[in-house]
Amino acid sequence: MNDVTLRDAVRQRLVTWDDPGSGAHQRRSISGLDLLRGIVDGTVPPPPVACLIGMDFVAVEHGSVALRLAPGEYLYNPMGVVHGGMIATLLDSAMGCAVHSTLPAGRGYTTLEIKVNYLRAVTAASGDLTAEGRVVHAGRRTGVAEAVLKDARGATCATASTTCLLFDLDPSEPKS
């Protein structure tokens, strides 16, 4: 490729997000379900990672979450398909948020492990992807969830399972 071809092929994407530290105290004082419902209805800003990759919160119920992502070329790997890490991120988010939806105010979670099964390649031609996560077990110390990722035609592209560690949030934690 010559310089003109490289310059003509350049794409740009502007990403904006809300300060994740603003409202941190409030987020600790409401249930996970209320927080996630606030993201869906627009009264709570989405997490910065959602803005970065273009992930939208579609639906939230106690123990289940649906997320959507348009698989743009900015998510492609060198093989010309959506990077597996983006698919894992979408599935991890759906499962983690499903677990979060079961937690009372003052409780948090983090992923302990995740397993992803990639079943088909994903490109922009796949159309909107929907990840549906649901809780299998919500205990005092751990939560277990699973998720399915489908393309716009309803074909299953990947499945996943996770175990999350559940813990009390530290009310004195810095607010960023």
Side-chain angles (χ1 to χ4, degrees), residues 3-11:
D3 289 340
V4 173
T5 304
L6 285 174
R7 192 175 21 249
D8 291 342
V10 172
R11 309 277 200 278

Side-chain angles (χ1 to χ4, degrees), residues 126-174:
S126 301
D128 284 355
L129 303 174
T130 302
E132 296 182 356
R134 75 173 189 86
V135 171
V136 174
H137 167 77
R140 171 83 181 127
R141 294 182 181 230
T142 61
V144 176
E146 58 190 20
V148 175
L149 181 70
K150 295 189 177 189
D151 66 15
R153 293 180 338 227
T156 301
C157 301
T159 62
S161 61
T162 192
T163 303
C164 294
L165 175 67
L166 310 180
F167 51 86
D168 291 331
L169 296 172
D170 182 355
S172 65
E173 186 176 298

Side-chain angles (χ1 to χ4, degrees), residues 105-122:
R107 296 280 288 164
Y109 75 94
T110 191
T111 301
L112 282 173
E113 60 84 27
I114 181 174
K115 180 180 185 323
V116 178
N117 294 306
Y118 300 96
L119 304 174
R120 67 181 71 244
V122 174

Side-chain angles (χ1 to χ4, degrees), residues 5-176:
T5 304
L6 285 174
R7 192 175 21 249
D8 291 342
V10 172
R11 309 277 200 278
Q12 289 186 345
R13 185 166 188 267
L14 176 65
V15 178
T16 61
W17 64 92
D18 289 281
D19 176 2
S22 68
H25 178 69
Q26 177 197 10
R27 289 192 295 271
R28 289 187 184 96
S29 65
I30 62 174
S31 72
L33 184 58
D34 288 340
L35 173 72
L36 295 168
R37 284 183 172 161
I39 294 171
V40 171
D41 70 23
T43 59
V44 174
V49 68
C51 301
L52 178 66
I53 68 172
M55 177 175 66
D56 293 314
F57 286 71
V58 177
V60 176
E61 296 298 330
H62 186 272
S64 68
V65 170
L67 304 174
R68 185 177 306 128
L69 175 74
E73 67 182 15
Y74 64 94
L75 299 174
Y76 281 13
N77 65 20
M79 297 299 298
V81 299
V82 172
H83 191 284
M86 293 299 102
I87 291 169
T89 298
L90 184 60
L91 290 164
D92 182 49
S93 297
M95 294 182 294
C97 288
V99 169
H100 194 186
S101 74
T102 67
L103 299 180
R107 296 280 288 164
Y109 75 94
T110 191
T111 301
L112 282 173
E113 60 84 27
I114 181 174
K115 180 180 185 323
V116 178
N117 294 306
Y118 300 96
L119 304 174
R120 67 181 71 244
V122 174
T123 66
S126 301
D128 284 355
L129 303 174
T130 302
E132 296 182 356
R134 75 173 189 86
V135 171
V136 174
H137 167 77
R140 171 83 181 127
R141 294 182 181 230
T142 61
V144 176
E146 58 190 20
V148 175
L149 181 70
K150 295 189 177 189
D151 66 15
R153 293 180 338 227
T156 301
C157 301
T159 62
S161 61
T162 192
T163 303
C164 294
L165 175 67
L166 310 180
F167 51 86
D168 291 331
L169 296 172
D170 182 355
S172 65
E173 186 176 298
K175 315 287 189 276
S176 307

